[in-house]
Amino acid sequence: MHVDWPYEFPGAYWIDHEEEETLLDVLRHGSMFRYYGLGAAKYVDAYEAAARQFYGADYALAINSGTGALLAALSALEIGPGCEVILPAFMWVATAASIVQVNAIPVLCEVDESLSMDPADLERKITSRTKLILPIHMAGSPCDIEAIMAVARRHGIRVLEDCAQCNGGSFHGRKVGTHGDAGIFSLQLNKNMTCGEGWLLITSDKRLYDRAFSAHDMGLVRVNGRLATPEPYAISWGAGRRMTELCGAVAGVQLRKLPKIVDSMRASKRRIKAALAGTPGLGFRMMNDAEGDTGPFLVVMLDDEAKAIAATAKMKESGLHSVFRICEYGLHIYYNIPSLVGKVPLSPAGNPWSLAENARSQTRYDKGTCPVSDALFARSILIPIPSKLAREQEEQAVAVIREAVAGQTAGGGCCSCGQSLRDCATADSARQQEEQP
Ligand SMILES: Cc1ncc(COP(=O)(O)O)c(C=O)c1O
């Protein structure tokens, strides 16, 4: 069996005359800058207004890049030397990099079978220096944000939700990004909606918004587009990370399409999962809330690493070219990030790890730091679900996955409990949650 599997880039498949017309409008009016131009600039403002409505947040701030948004958020949350920030072992390099860039210390937290932050390990990682919890809604699905918020509240720690990979997702009916103090969303090409490159920060905390605004722009606020001096709490060193009207124009259109894009991926994923249900030796990632999943990835778990290696190779051979064993998913895995493992300093002074303020934060990042996560990464396979699949492609993918797993099933057991996946209650309940069509 062979399948012709498209590249993912979910939002890119939905670009049509609407994006074209708004972009041309920006160009024809000579107004690429969001605050002024030959004609009236309006698209970034309109995108932010639509975002406030869509997510149900009081404030929305469009930013031109991911690391820029993370830095603006960390700066707004007053993270710096002497602060520990807890993030999950399954992440993206930008999330860790932004913590280092403000001279704070990243602290790794184990993921559970949902491949997102394990609330029990989170509790263990908290110290008197923990100033922020940074959960990530990874690979399209919400983390257990309510359990994480409960831990955070018990300890009086603020929460920044990284929703880069879960735009449009929710947990128990409430949009991701609105549970914590702030949420950030990527609009880069691989994400559920896109304008090529860009981010959105949402919050309902005015001081936090003002500080993030100041940090992303010029260290001040703006009134009717003109720079204005705010109260002292919002004066900072800006980083010039405003979104262009070109991106705002596309982002506004794509936000209107986001529910359809997500519905399409979810529907394909559910049909594929339903067809794979009961395949011997095949388990699925646990879903914290299957209703809030956005669908761009299906994660299957095999009994052990050797079987996962063989099945991944077979899937690639059969046309599923973009599948990865999670442990090989590049800079998404803490121990694959050379600068993190090597604690590469920001400057010859050695910061942040050598700063006196961080002296009590002894951390490591090499493989083995998060053994539970390492074992899950080794036997889990990430299968991207493109946003416009034909039924025939879905059926062919099912056949390819079944074939790849067949023959890998003898012996072995569930990595976390030692039972076979079929007998394992955890794997079984995960399967049930994932299987509801
Ligand atoms: C979880 C997570 N956080 C942050 C980022 C950074 O986003 P960007 O590529 O928009 O800079 C990504 C990008 O893949 C991501 O997956």
Side-chain angles (χ1 to χ4, degrees):
M1 177 53 69
H2 193 272
V3 60
D4 191 9
W5 206 239
Y7 284 101
E8 44 274 23
F9 311 138
Y13 288 105
W14 299 69
I15 293 173
D16 60 20
H17 64 280
E18 285 192 76
E19 283 87 345
E20 281 175 25
E21 275 155 27
T22 53
L23 271 178
L24 284 174
D25 188 50
V26 173
L27 294 173
R28 286 186 184 126
H29 286 91
S31 57
M32 279 86 80
F33 184 61
R34 77 170 285 189
Y35 292 114
Y36 47 78
L38 297 179
K42 56 191 174 215
Y43 287 107
V44 181
D45 275 357
Y47 166 55
E48 289 176 345
R52 288 194 292 274
Q53 185 94 29
F54 179 82
Y55 299 100
D58 292 345
Y59 303 95
L61 176 65
I63 302 176
N64 71 357
S65 89
T67 311
L70 281 156
L71 284 173
L74 293 181
S75 158
L77 288 156
E78 302 178 294
I79 302 303
C83 300
E84 291 177 1
V85 179
I86 304 181
L87 79 168
F90 190 25
M91 55 161 99
W92 177 240
V93 58
T95 319
S98 61
I99 300 167
V100 172
Q101 281 174 20
V102 296
N103 276 307
I105 297 292
V107 173
L108 296 170
C109 177
E110 294 275 17
V111 298
D112 59 21
E113 295 219 353
S114 70
L115 297 183
S116 53
M117 185 176 265
D118 175 5
D121 193 51
L122 168 65
E123 187 108 45
R124 288 191 284 272
K125 295 289 162 64
I126 289 175
T127 70
S128 57
R129 299 173 297 283
T130 308
K131 291 294 178 297
L132 183 69
I133 298 170
L134 213 168
I136 307 179
H137 302 284
M138 264 319 258
S141 296
C143 64
D144 189 350
I145 189 67
E146 281 178 4
I148 290 166
M149 289 308 297
V151 175
R153 283 198 196 98
R154 256 198 312 282
H155 293 269
I157 300 170
R158 302 226 268 180
V159 174
L160 171 64
E161 294 175 69
D162 182 338
C163 314
Q165 299 201 5
C166 194
N167 203 347
S170 59
F171 187 83
H172 291 170
R174 186 166 148 193
K175 289 248 165 34
V176 297
T178 62
H179 298 255
D181 294 86
I184 45 175
F185 298 84
S186 172
L187 309 177
Q188 184 264 345
L189 191 68
N190 285 312
K191 309 305 187 306
N192 291 353
M193 60 168 272
T194 187
C195 62
E197 185 93 90
W199 272 64
L200 182 80
L201 177 148
I202 58 170
T203 182
S204 289
D205 177 336
K206 176 166 173 14
R207 286 174 78 93
L208 210 155
Y209 168 78
D210 285 344
R211 289 178 56 85
F213 186 96
S214 164
H216 107 292
D217 190 9
M218 299 222 206
L220 300 174
V221 293
R222 286 186 190 254
V223 177
N224 297 327
R226 310 288 300 175
L227 286 169
T229 305
E231 286 185 48
Y233 75 84
I235 298 178
S236 70
W237 295 101
R241 295 191 178 275
R242 295 165 298 272
M243 178 175 277
T244 68
E245 283 288 284
L246 295 163
C247 287
V250 176
V253 176
Q254 287 257 311
L255 183 62
R256 292 200 289 278
K257 296 178 177 176
L258 180 63
K260 278 197 183 143
I261 300 172
V262 164
D263 276 356
S264 175
M265 293 187 294
R266 279 161 51 105
S268 287
K269 176 174 168 177
R270 285 178 177 191
R271 283 190 291 269
I272 292 170
K273 288 185 70 171
L276 287 172
T279 303
L282 186 82
F284 296 119
R285 160 164 81 143
M286 180 177 80
M287 291 276 103
N288 290 308
D289 178 4
E291 291 307 308
D293 179 35
T294 62
F297 299 99
L298 170 64
V299 178
V300 297
M301 292 179 168
L302 273 72
D303 293 354
D304 61 39
E305 179 167 14
K307 290 172 188 166
I309 292 172
T312 306
K314 187 87 180 73
M315 286 185 215
K316 280 185 186 287
E317 254 171 48
S318 307
L320 286 178
H321 53 88
S322 49
V323 302
F324 280 101
R325 248 180 350 119
I326 299 262
C327 59
E328 291 170 345
Y329 196 30
L331 302 178
H332 286 289
I333 303 296
Y334 70 95
Y335 59 71
N336 291 340
I337 304 174
S339 47
L340 187 65
V341 173
K343 297 189 187 178
V344 172
L346 277 176
S347 80
N351 48 325
W353 288 279
S354 64
L355 290 181
E357 293 91 330
N358 293 328
R360 292 172 62 214
S361 299
Q362 293 304 321
T363 44
R364 50 177 281 226
Y365 308 99
D366 54 325
K367 191 171 181 179
T369 303
C370 293
V372 175
S373 308
D374 295 356
L376 286 165
F377 298 155
R379 66 184 180 88
S380 301
I381 305 171
L382 183 94
I383 305 169
I385 306 292
S387 64
K388 277 195 177 168
L389 283 176
R391 291 293 175 102
E392 200 188 354
Q393 287 170 307
E394 295 172 6
E395 283 155 18
Q396 288 166 346
V398 168
V400 163
I401 298 166
R402 276 211 197 108
E403 260 178 32
V405 174
Q408 321 296 337
T409 54
C414 174
C415 188
S416 56
C417 69
Q419 299 181 73
S420 85
L421 271 173
R422 300 207 74 173
D423 300 332
C424 166
T426 318
D428 197 40
S429 75
R431 261 199 298 277
Q432 281 171 13
Q433 283 194 56
E434 287 241 22
E435 272 163 19
Q436 292 161 25

